[in-house]
Amino acid sequence: MMRRSFRFRLMLAAVLPTLLLAGVLAAIWLHWTQTVLESALRERVEAVARQLATTSEFPLFTGDVATMQMLVDGLARDESDILATSIVGQDGRVWVRRGEDAFPANPANTAVWTMDEQGSYMRLVIPVAQTQLHIDDFESGAGDAGSGQFEGKPLGYVVQKISLNTLNKERNRMLMLGVIAFLAAISVGGGLAIMLARGVTDPLGRIIAVVERIGQGDLAARVDLKADCVLFPLVRGINHMAENVAMTQDEMRQRIDEATRELQLQKRAAELEARVDPLTGLNNRRAFLERAEQDVLRAARYDLPTALIMLDLDHFKVINDTYGHPAGDQVLVALSAVLFKSMREVDVVGRLGGEEFAILMPDTMAEAAIQAAERIRQAVEAMTLDADGRCIACTASFGISAFQPGDISIADLFSRADRALYRAKQMGRNRVEVFNDPDAPETAT
Amino acid sequence: MLRLAFLLLCLFVQALSPAWAKGQRVWVALSGSDAPYLEAARAVREGLSEHDVATRPWAEFANDPGSPPRLIVALGVEAVNRMTQVAAAWPKVPIVALLVPRSNLEKMVEEGRGRITGIYFDQPFGRQMQFLRLAMPDRRRVGILLGSGSSRYQGEIRQAVRRAGLEEVFQTVEDREGLSSGLRGVLAKSDVLLAVPDPVVHNNHTAHHVLLASYRQGVPVVGYSVSFVKAGAAAALVSTPVQIGRQGADLAADLLAGGDMPAPMPPEEFDVMVNTSVSRSLNLMLDAEQLTRKLGAGKGSP
């Protein structure tokens, strides 16, 4: 839509000067021809009439009708535009005439042109003046004395009636010529203007289309125009710009990909970190569960003995409340150290939460697990921590479960170990309990 | 005794008056500042060199007359008219009119407008006839157009024509409308047209027609001025302003010396003017010099 109005505007800008110029020239031509033609006719007719007036002065004076008629007839022969000629005396008497005409009532002392209403003819009345000669040597006196009656009065008049037919025809012809020339000038000028405008609007239109596409995201769009196009610098500029934008985009994409990869790596690292309990360095709950699960699955597949120990620090809340959290943390850390020391490489040790810990012992019978748990219990009991001069004593309770055929996941072991732990808590804490079967739990000493 | 002495003294003074005629106050009034008036005025002044001559346009005298002069010389019709008005208060002061037509001057004298005389520029008819006989001996019929101004001289003209052995053809023209037929009439019967100054017949407007009509009939026109000859008259007897001025000065001097007032008179000196192209076209062999000599022109002749 906008493109069309733009093209129209440009064409208008190109055509308008031509239009204006052609219009002005046409107006001048018309005016000039109209007025020049008429004034030329008038001059010609007036010249003829004046000549007739001059030559008819003497015949008029002598009343020589024959000569006057001859003069008048001679005139009609030469001039086809003259409809009527008459020579009229001072008193209005028509001496001779050729053609029909009327004599105006009050003639003036100078040449007078009149035109009829329809504009079909004009009339010229020229006074026939008496030639004046100087025959007196002394002016202002003798010779002029009797000339008072002669002053200012012409001998007679020459009246010419002229047809305006030819003039009007000529005028119309000139008008037609002017109009035709004007139209031709406009057509040619307009055509050229449109061609020139097209030379700009067409490539411009293509450029606009490409820019729109680029704006919409198609960075591969380029303007395809020859180097001789008038807007070529613009074309070149836009193409370069699009290329630069595309390149930058690729770079950016690359950078984004890199950054994403980085981030993923970081995420994995973070995730990795998320597997370790920051305080104790032991596996966190998830890590423990994952690894433990794997061992259980292996145990299930190859029918290997596996044991799970769950241990809980006794009265941990009290310790925290009494000695403060930092002291509590110290306890946890000490416990972890004990666990680290006590366990084998293959054992999976983890802090499940708060004061809850768990150990999965692959390839281990229940009895060995009990012994290990007992050792840890004693070690924990022996722990002494110093918190602001006060001595903290801690103990832990243990619950053990062994892999049974039919176990398909760590959850099964956990539930039994948990029940054993509960029993240990119930029976006074600081003990190790094993889950054997629901009805006959075995007690370790 | 005393009375006698006084009487004798008066007589003596009277007798001496011619001597006292010198050094008189004279006004020379001009109708205009054209060359003819200036030339005539100079001639008058030179002729009255012993006297106190004031030369001015008539208006200057008229606006501030002051004390009257002893004599007034007026050049041209307008000056003559105005000066007669001014001098109406001084009936004793004579007026000498120069460069005026005869009819004008004689009318003024008749009307008794003061003491007026002068020299008109019309040539005497006898002189004209003598000229015609010498210049165009074959042309015996003399045509004259008379108007209101010149018709009074009809008798005089007839006499002069007859005395010269020529034939006269008169046509009287009442007004402008009658000029054409009058011309036609006179040209049909004449061999030469003598132009006698008349305001209706011969003026700047009619001259063209008169000359053209005459020329077409092959009738030469004898005019009365240099301009007329230049305009197409075949020839003319003309007195120059200087000649008239000289004669006027003599007349004035005479009057100042106590002479009588004469009647208006024609000029004594004259020249013969010829239009060579016109005269040649009309087959007239006119030799101005020869004619001048033969006529005794340049000096007074009858």
Side-chain angles (χ1 to χ4, degrees):
Chain A
M1 222 55 45
M2 214 165 66
R3 209 179 310 163
R4 194 146 17 119
S5 105
F6 170 70
R7 167 183 289 181
F8 179 67
R9 273 242 187 101
L10 196 62
M11 263 171 26
L12 204 65
V15 166
L16 219 52
T18 311
L19 204 70
L20 223 60
L21 192 64
V24 166
L25 285 176
I28 292 178
W29 158 260
L30 284 174
H31 177 258
W32 187 78
T33 53
Q34 302 298 311
T35 52
V36 160
L37 282 174
E38 176 171 341
S39 57
L41 176 66
R42 281 194 191 211
E43 274 174 30
R44 207 175 71 235
V45 171
E46 211 168 296
V48 165
R50 281 193 198 282
Q51 214 218 356
L52 179 62
T54 308
T55 50
S56 61
E57 184 199 344
F58 194 63
L60 199 57
F61 168 75
T62 53
D64 183 354
V65 172
T67 306
M68 284 195 265
Q69 187 69 56
M70 186 187 71
L71 290 173
V72 162
D73 290 343
L75 210 69
R77 200 175 45 234
D78 295 336
E79 292 283 336
S80 56
D81 274 335
I82 298 182
L83 293 172
T85 309
S86 356
I87 299 180
V88 175
Q90 227 294 307
D91 49 1
R93 164 188 171 176
V94 178
W95 284 94
V96 292
R97 86 149 51 113
R98 190 182 160 83
E100 283 306 314
D101 196 7
F103 180 61
N106 294 323
N109 264 351
T110 51
V112 170
W113 280 99
T114 49
M115 179 154 354
D116 81 314
E117 278 157 12
Q118 285 92 17
S120 54
Y121 66 82
M122 284 195 295
R123 182 181 290 119
L124 172 63
V125 177
I126 281 197
V128 178
Q130 282 188 290
T131 309
Q132 274 202 38
L133 296 175
H134 287 305
I135 56 165
D136 295 300
D137 289 341
F138 327 119
E139 301 294 356
S140 64
D144 283 349
S147 63
Q149 57 172 297
F150 297 89
E151 280 303 336
K153 278 202 251 167
L155 265 183
Y157 302 89
V158 166
V159 183
Q160 296 251 38
K161 186 170 160 193
I162 302 112
S163 154
L164 293 178
N165 261 346
T166 323
L167 175 69
N168 288 336
K169 279 207 198 115
E170 267 301 302
R171 272 184 172 162
N172 288 341
R173 213 164 66 88
M174 288 297 145
L175 182 66
M176 285 294 299
L177 219 66
V179 168
I180 290 176
F182 175 70
L183 290 174
I186 292 187
S187 320
V188 171
L192 280 174
I194 290 175
M195 268 170 50
L196 283 170
R198 276 252 187 82
V200 170
T201 56
D202 279 354
L204 207 57
R206 306 248 289 265
I207 291 172
I208 290 176
V210 166
V211 168
E212 271 174 357
R213 271 168 46 204
I214 292 177
Q216 279 160 9
D218 177 7
L219 285 178
R222 297 284 183 271
V223 185
D224 174 26
L225 286 170
K226 296 207 238 315
D228 61 358
C229 160
V230 64
L231 292 172
F232 190 66
L234 180 62
V235 167
R236 211 174 30 208
I238 286 181
N239 285 346
H240 280 173
M241 191 176 68
E243 241 163 63
N244 284 340
V245 168
M247 257 185 356
T248 310
Q249 225 190 40
D250 285 342
E251 267 177 30
M252 297 242 286
R253 200 171 290 133
Q254 255 180 25
R255 294 227 191 110
I256 288 175
D257 286 347
E258 276 173 23
T260 312
R261 248 176 287 141
E262 272 271 327
L263 272 169
Q264 275 183 353
L265 284 171
Q266 283 181 3
K267 183 173 159 228
R268 222 168 277 154
E271 257 176 30
L272 211 64
E273 271 183 28
R275 303 171 68 83
V276 174
D277 175 47
L279 180 63
T280 58
L282 298 171
N283 287 307
N284 61 11
R285 183 186 185 88
R286 187 167 56 215
F288 177 81
L289 285 174
E290 271 179 30
R291 289 175 63 180
E293 185 69 33
Q294 277 177 10
D295 283 334
V296 168
L297 281 173
R298 199 164 55 86
R301 186 177 301 148
Y302 298 114
D303 200 20
L304 299 166
T306 308
L308 176 69
I309 306 173
M310 283 185 70
L311 65 112
D312 211 295
L313 270 172
D314 299 326
H315 306 302
F316 188 64
K317 253 197 206 46
V318 175
I319 296 175
N320 260 341
D321 294 341
T322 313
Y323 300 105
H325 279 274
D329 286 349
Q330 258 187 301
V331 170
L332 291 168
V333 170
L335 173 58
S336 311
V338 166
L339 291 176
F340 264 124
K341 235 183 2 194
S342 315
M343 304 317 338
R344 303 170 298 178
E345 190 81 32
V346 297
D347 296 325
V348 185
V349 186
R351 178 180 170 199
L352 298 180
E355 71 270 32
E356 227 178 70
F357 292 80
I359 306 166
L360 186 82
M361 303 179 71
D363 299 323
T364 313
M365 304 283 300
E367 290 77 14
I370 295 169
Q371 282 173 13
E374 186 55 38
R375 272 202 305 278
I376 297 169
R377 190 198 62 79
Q378 285 173 9
V380 171
E381 212 180 19
M383 268 180 5
T384 50
L385 290 163
D386 192 346
D388 299 326
R390 282 183 288 185
C391 197
I392 311 173
C394 16
T395 58
S397 305
F398 295 76
I400 301 174
S401 69
F403 179 80
Q404 283 172 3
D407 284 340
I408 49 171
S409 91
I410 191 69
D412 301 325
L413 278 148
F414 259 113
S415 75
R416 290 198 299 273
D418 193 53
R419 287 187 17 211
L421 178 60
Y422 180 69
R423 209 169 62 222
K425 292 278 186 195
Q426 275 203 316
M427 297 185 88
R429 294 183 164 79
N430 198 16
R431 22 181 337 116
V432 176
E433 289 292 324
V434 167
F435 186 91
N436 275 329
D437 69 67
D439 295 333
E442 243 185 58
T443 321
T445 46
Chain B
M1 194 62 187
L2 214 60
R3 270 220 317 256
L4 187 64
F6 184 67
L7 200 64
L8 277 172
L9 194 62
C10 286
L11 283 170
F12 187 60
V13 164
Q14 281 262 17
L16 280 179
S17 65
W20 282 6
K22 304 194 200 287
Q24 309 269 1
R25 188 103 171 288
V26 175
W27 282 2
V28 176
L30 308 173
S31 290
S33 44
D34 308 4
Y37 299 114
L38 296 176
E39 287 164 13
R42 199 177 47 226
V44 168
R45 256 205 322 277
E46 282 167 10
L48 294 174
S49 54
E50 299 157 347
H51 299 278
D52 168 22
V53 179
T55 311
R56 304 221 176 89
W58 64 263
E60 286 185 33
F61 289 122
N63 288 339
D64 186 21
S67 55
R70 180 70 176 80
L71 181 137
I72 300 176
V73 177
L75 307 179
V77 173
E78 200 177 349
V80 172
N81 283 336
R82 300 292 185 173
M83 284 296 112
T84 46
Q85 281 168 5
V86 170
W90 311 316
K92 287 268 179 65
V93 176
I95 301 179
V96 172
L98 303 177
L99 308 183
V100 292
R102 180 179 176 185
S103 53
N104 267 40
L105 187 50
E106 289 188 346
K107 275 212 189 89
M108 264 193 254
V109 169
E110 277 161 27
E111 283 162 15
R113 296 218 241 143
R115 303 179 62 204
I116 180 163
T117 180
I119 301 164
Y120 47 79
F121 60 71
D122 304 40
Q123 304 293 326
F125 295 114
R127 192 184 294 162
Q128 301 265 41
M129 296 307 131
Q130 204 184 12
F131 170 68
L132 286 177
R133 290 231 353 242
L134 276 171
M136 309 169 206
D138 307 330
R139 296 178 182 260
R140 308 203 68 82
R141 297 178 299 170
V142 181
I144 297 115
L145 278 169
L146 295 170
S148 56
S150 51
S151 51
R152 67 218 314 260
Y153 306 122
Q154 187 167 356
E156 208 179 309
I157 298 172
R158 179 182 287 118
Q159 239 186 10
V161 170
R162 296 261 173 87
R163 208 181 291 149
L166 302 167
E167 214 181 294
E168 82 279 4
V169 178
F170 287 118
Q171 273 283 349
T172 309
V173 173
E174 304 283 324
D175 51 26
R176 179 179 130 158
E177 280 70 40
L179 181 60
S180 169
S181 51
L183 246 185
R184 228 195 338 268
V186 86
L187 289 175
K189 303 188 211 134
S190 324
D191 304 320
V192 60
L193 186 74
L194 176 67
V196 173
D198 180 279
V200 172
V201 176
H202 297 292
N203 58 54
N204 290 348
H205 296 267
T206 60
H208 174 68
H209 300 137
V210 169
L211 288 170
L212 200 52
S214 314
Y215 179 75
R216 288 198 180 175
Q217 298 293 332
V219 174
V221 175
V222 173
Y224 51 77
S225 64
V226 176
S227 308
F228 212 148
V229 170
K230 280 209 189 116
L237 301 182
V238 180
S239 302
T240 66
V242 170
Q243 291 166 336
I244 292 181
R246 264 205 294 267
Q247 191 180 339
D250 288 342
L251 172 56
D254 217 30
L255 287 173
L256 285 168
D260 299 322
M261 283 278 282
M265 60 190 78
E268 289 168 0
E269 300 175 43
F270 63 94
D271 292 331
V272 176
M273 299 278 143
V274 170
N275 186 320
T276 39
S277 14
V278 171
S279 56
R280 212 177 299 143
S281 323
L282 292 169
N283 283 322
L284 295 167
M285 297 302 124
L286 297 179
D287 185 339
E289 265 188 53
Q290 206 184 44
L291 288 163
T292 308
R293 249 182 310 121
K294 284 201 182 148
L295 272 174
K299 277 296 163 220
S301 89

